Amino acid sequence: MRAFLVVDVQNDFCPGGALAVPGGGDVVPLVNELGLHFKHVLLTQDWHPPGHLSFASAHTGKQPYDTVALPYGAQILWPDHCVQGTEGAAFHPALDIAHVELILRKGFRREIDSYSAFFENDQQTPTGLAGYLRERGIDTLYLAGLALDFCVHWSAIDGRRLGFEVFVVEDATRAIDANGSLGHAMRQMRQAGVELVSFDEALTFAA
Ligand code: VGL
Ligand code: ZN
């Protein structure tokens, strides 16, 4: 069974937001249209406490897009974004979410980031999504949303690692592309067996 997993379509990742992804808001109409055709629609929501360790502001002398070593590995530092309960953390106002079955929040522990919908950035701590999908008989995921080279990328790779079929609807995503991250993400997804499809292809496969 298929599900449509929409990653982090939140105000802070759209133009005007704290960590705006170029063209981020443009995915909304495509996501809404696809959402009407999939029987099961799930969302993720980046959901950080104030002072989260992925924020440059939590490290003296560091700037956004610097990298620091945290106990679980290298962490890129970001502007403060998607702080729990703020307008920036809210979904894009035009995102049609009435029929969404699950909203999975991630990145809510101060000491660890979570790009992937499946694991926090230590690559070990599960979010519970794999169990949820398996218990519901969902084995195939169509991914869209923000950002292609971070949260979509890591969710796609981890989905493959866990044995799910994964399709990324490329034109319903946008990338940050910090220091070559987009090229790296595309190579890794291809190697992992993630399939890239267009919006039109995804529509024909839906539900
Ligand atoms: C994301 C950077 C930091 C994403 C989330 O949704 O891709 N990127 N937090
Ligand atoms: Zn984040």
Side-chain angles (χ1 to χ4, degrees):
M1 191 164 41
R2 304 179 183 98
F4 183 39
L5 177 65
V6 180
V7 176
D8 297 0
V9 181
Q10 293 166 257
N11 289 326
D12 270 343
F13 296 123
C14 294
L19 178 39
V21 180
D26 299 350
V27 306
V28 172
L30 287 82
V31 163
N32 285 348
E33 181 67 25
L34 284 170
L36 292 175
H37 291 86
F38 279 89
K39 197 159 167 190
H40 304 291
V41 184
L42 322 172
L43 305 181
T44 66
Q45 188 173 27
D46 210 39
W47 196 249
H48 301 308
H52 192 257
L53 288 193
S54 76
F55 297 169
S57 62
H59 305 263
T60 38
K62 295 293 178 189
Q63 300 298 317
Y65 308 102
D66 287 349
T67 299
V68 290
L70 291 182
Y72 55 83
Q75 171 71 47
I76 302 179
L77 297 177
W78 305 105
D80 289 24
H81 65 280
C82 297
V83 175
Q84 295 172 1
T86 63
E87 202 43 42
F91 291 109
H92 187 291
L95 187 69
D96 180 8
I97 58 166
H99 57 302
V100 163
E101 295 176 349
L102 176 77
I103 296 176
L104 181 99
R105 288 175 169 168
K106 59 184 182 59
F108 48 73
R109 268 189 271 275
R110 186 179 171 273
E111 304 74 26
I112 182 165
D113 206 359
S114 187
Y115 294 149
S116 166
F118 291 100
F119 292 104
E120 301 192 20
N121 282 12
D122 61 2
Q123 288 284 287
Q124 290 180 38
T125 308
T127 62
L129 180 62
Y132 172 91
L133 296 174
R134 286 180 184 138
E135 282 201 53
R136 298 199 58 207
I138 294 165
D139 54 13
T140 303
L141 288 175
Y142 284 76
L143 293 183
L146 308 171
L148 174 58
D149 43 347
F150 287 94
C151 291
V152 174
H153 162 227
W154 283 104
S155 299
I157 299 280
D158 284 344
R160 292 294 300 144
R161 182 152 71 94
L162 293 163
F164 294 91
E165 287 292 317
V166 180
F167 297 83
V168 170
V169 188
E170 206 175 345
D171 35 12
T173 67
R174 291 293 183 278
I176 294 173
D177 203 12
N179 303 317
S181 56
L182 178 57
H184 172 75
M186 298 305 274
R187 280 190 296 278
Q188 294 236 304
M189 287 195 287
R190 239 173 257 127
Q191 271 168 26
V194 174
E195 299 202 50
L196 297 166
V197 295
S198 68
F199 170 77
D200 290 335
E201 286 172 311
L203 262 189
T204 61
F205 298 148

